[in-house]
Amino acid sequence: LAAALVALALAALVGGRIGAGLRALTHAAEGIQQGDLAVRAHVESDDEVGLLGAAFDSMAGSIESMTADLRRAAEDEAELRSRLEAIVGGMGEALVAVDAFGRVTAFNPAAEQLAGVPASRATGSPVTAVLAVLSDGGEDLTGLLAEAPAAGPWSRVAAVRRLDGETVPVAISAAALHDVAGDVAGAVFVLRDIRREREVDRMKTEFLSNISHELRTPLTPIKGYAHMLRSRTVPAPKVKQFLDGIVESSERLERVIDLLVNFAAIEAGRLQIEAAPVKVRDLVDDVVGRWSERVDEGHRITRRVARGLPELHADRQLLERSLDELVDNAIKYSPDGGPVSVRAAVAGNGRRAAIAISVSDRGVGIATDRLDQVFADFAQADGSATRRFGGLGLGLAFVNRIVKAHDGRLVCESEPGKGSTFTIVLPVTRSRRPRLPAPPGRAGADGNGATESPTRPLRARGRA
């Protein structure tokens, strides 16, 4: 009986130890199942249950470590994806990615703008249904976007035809996308809108053509008159006429060169403004007086200066050059003749005193839809103006920069067929030091208490 009792006691003791270990293991397993990866069984014994508990705790530690690594990898991947999405979304170029079947998998905002198709509609659709690509000769190249580049990356210039029918010139770069096994899984295409570049090329070509014309035009009479004076005996009256022609053409050539040099100096920030007190009446009289020796009989220049105008604090030489440009434009764009009026008066804007100096003509005028462009570099009243009237298209851009540098505004008011008025509005007192360059602006002006006096007719010379 005693032996049986001892056996029962030992069995109960061993069963309790095994049961406690198994309960600890069960509790730990349930904790892991619920997501608590830090839970451990902590079974400490020298028997098989202890070995099982140790193995379980080691496994739980490995799971916790691997899960932490996976979580960090997922966070890193999410951060990288977010950064890539931000980069792709912020690209100025259109990015289109397709899978191995030619379906769109990525379509950034620039691609939406280029194609005129929202990404929600493009994603998942065949790329050929979203973009139509044409060569310069009109050949359909859309099929190139539906397959991965087999011979490696390529690039070419083409045009994208939007769904609304507009054609946009683009530079396309293409490359294949590979999966982890190295197999081709699709392709990515970057399309860069090159409309601006082509416009710059057109402007450059047109500018070079214009400057060649503007430089050759005054050189022709200079060379012709000089050759006649050198090669033959010319009567004295003719000599004077030829010399006058040489001087006039030389002055025209000098004005073209001066405009180019000054404009380049403005763009490079090297043109300095030497501000000093300027009497408005003297300024206007000098400009009108100079032009009184140059215009032809079909034009009549008048001036009207209000009495008692305060002095301006400005660079007189640059203001004179600006008024020369405006008067020259007024004469040039009045091919049928007519009066050109130069006026100066007080312009009140309710805050501080200002002087308005305007130049008006009754020439061809400017179309309403081009008024906002006349102050741009290389701009003229219309596309054919360069050939019809000559010039470089820099004069008004030059004037606008000079006026802005004086804290002023350049205003254009025009009506096709009735003429134009350009007004320089300058403050009497300055709020800052002169600086170059500055963007264009608009303003208005009035004047009164003035007397008008015509000057004698004169002949116009060409304008840059």
Side-chain angles (χ1 to χ4, degrees), residues 82-96 106-110:
S82 177
R83 290 172 59 188
L84 288 176
E85 289 178 350
I87 292 172
V88 171
M91 287 176 59
E93 295 83 9
L95 183 142
V96 180
F107 207 73
N108 71 347

Side-chain angles (χ1 to χ4, degrees), residues 119-134:
S120 58
R121 176 181 170 185
T123 304
S125 301
V127 68
T128 53
V130 178
L131 291 174
V133 180
L134 307 173

Side-chain angles (χ1 to χ4, degrees), residues 17-285:
R17 292 179 61 184
I18 293 174
L22 291 176
R23 285 192 297 273
L25 287 170
T26 301
H27 177 73
E30 291 175 347
I32 291 176
Q33 184 181 22
Q34 295 173 3
D36 184 6
L37 301 181
V39 68
R40 299 292 185 271
H42 298 297
V43 178
E44 298 179 359
S45 65
D46 296 332
D47 54 16
E48 287 79 358
V49 175
L51 293 176
L52 179 61
F56 181 91
D57 288 348
S58 177
M59 179 189 68
S62 297
I63 291 175
E64 182 181 19
S65 177
M66 292 173 62
T67 302
D69 291 342
L70 288 173
R71 183 178 292 111
R72 284 193 295 269
E75 291 173 351
D76 291 343
E77 182 182 358
E79 181 181 358
L80 178 60
R81 178 180 292 273
S82 177
R83 290 172 59 188
L84 288 176
E85 289 178 350
I87 292 172
V88 171
M91 287 176 59
E93 295 83 9
L95 183 142
V96 180
V98 299
D99 60 17
F101 301 99
R103 294 187 297 257
V104 176
T105 58
F107 207 73
N108 71 347
E112 292 182 297
Q113 183 176 5
L114 177 65
V117 178
S120 58
R121 176 181 170 185
T123 304
S125 301
V127 68
T128 53
V130 178
L131 291 174
V133 180
L134 307 173
S135 68
D136 288 339
E139 178 187 359
D140 190 353
L141 304 177
T142 307
L144 294 176
L145 303 183
E147 56 188 30
W154 57 263
S155 61
R156 67 179 301 161
V157 174
V160 169
R161 186 171 60 209
R162 294 161 45 99
L163 294 184
D164 60 8
E166 180 184 0
T167 300
V168 180
V170 294
I172 305 177
S173 299
L177 294 175
H178 299 84
D179 57 20
V180 292
D183 298 327
V184 176
V188 61
F189 302 93
V190 176
L191 300 89
R192 179 166 52 85
D193 187 341
I194 59 174
R195 283 178 292 187
R196 177 59 181 167
E197 295 176 20
R198 290 198 170 180
E199 176 64 14
V200 170
D201 287 341
R202 184 197 65 78
M203 293 172 60
K204 180 177 68 174
T205 301
E206 185 174 303
F207 174 71
L208 292 175
S209 175
N210 293 345
I211 195 172
S212 174
H213 175 268
E214 289 299 303
L215 293 177
R216 287 179 180 274
T217 299
L219 281 176
T220 299
I222 292 175
K223 291 177 63 177
Y225 289 145
H227 179 73
M228 285 188 289
L229 290 173
R230 184 183 64 177
S231 61
R232 68 183 66 174
T233 302
V234 180
K238 284 290 185 181
V239 169
K240 185 179 185 306
Q241 179 183 345
F242 291 172
L243 292 177
D244 287 343
I246 291 174
V247 170
E248 181 180 350
S249 296
S250 300
E251 289 176 350
R252 175 178 175 176
L253 183 60
E254 183 181 24
R255 290 186 65 237
V256 173
I257 295 173
D258 283 347
L259 178 59
L260 291 172
V261 171
N262 288 337
F263 198 86
I266 289 176
E267 292 299 291
R270 296 194 304 266
L271 186 62
Q272 300 296 322
I273 293 182
E274 303 294 337
V278 176
K279 293 182 178 180
V280 179
R281 181 176 292 276
D282 291 348
L283 174 67
V284 172
D285 287 349

Side-chain angles (χ1 to χ4, degrees), residues 299-340:
H299 294 91
R300 183 172 62 95
I301 299 183
T302 64
R303 62 176 174 268
R304 181 171 178 165
V305 181
R307 297 185 179 91
L309 291 180
E311 291 184 340
L312 293 171
H313 189 68
D315 188 314
R316 174 167 179 145
Q317 183 178 0
L318 291 178
L319 284 187
E320 284 190 19
R321 179 61 193 269
S322 299
L323 288 175
D324 281 340
E325 293 294 334
L326 296 182
V327 173
D328 197 1
N329 260 1
I331 296 170
K332 182 172 65 177
Y333 287 96
S334 303
D336 297 330
V340 173

Side-chain angles (χ1 to χ4, degrees), residues 357-441:
I357 306 175
S358 62
V359 177
S360 303
D361 64 70
R362 297 181 185 175
V364 298
I366 303 170
T368 304
D369 59 351
R370 299 216 28 112
L371 283 176
D372 293 336
Q373 306 174 32
V374 294
F375 299 145
D377 299 351
F378 310 111
Q380 291 189 320
D382 61 72
S384 62
T386 297
R387 292 290 174 260
R388 182 180 177 190
F389 298 107
L392 298 175
L394 293 177
L396 289 178
F398 171 81
V399 175
N400 192 42
R401 283 166 166 77
I402 296 301
V403 172
K404 279 296 187 178
H406 285 83
D407 226 7
R409 292 163 291 174
L410 179 60
V411 184
C412 174
E413 298 174 350
S414 185
E415 186 174 351
K418 295 187 177 180
S420 304
T421 297
F422 286 87
T423 304
I424 296 174
V425 182
L426 299 175
V428 175
T429 57
R430 299 190 50 78
S431 60
R432 58 180 174 84
R433 294 184 61 186
R435 64 173 184 265
L436 286 165

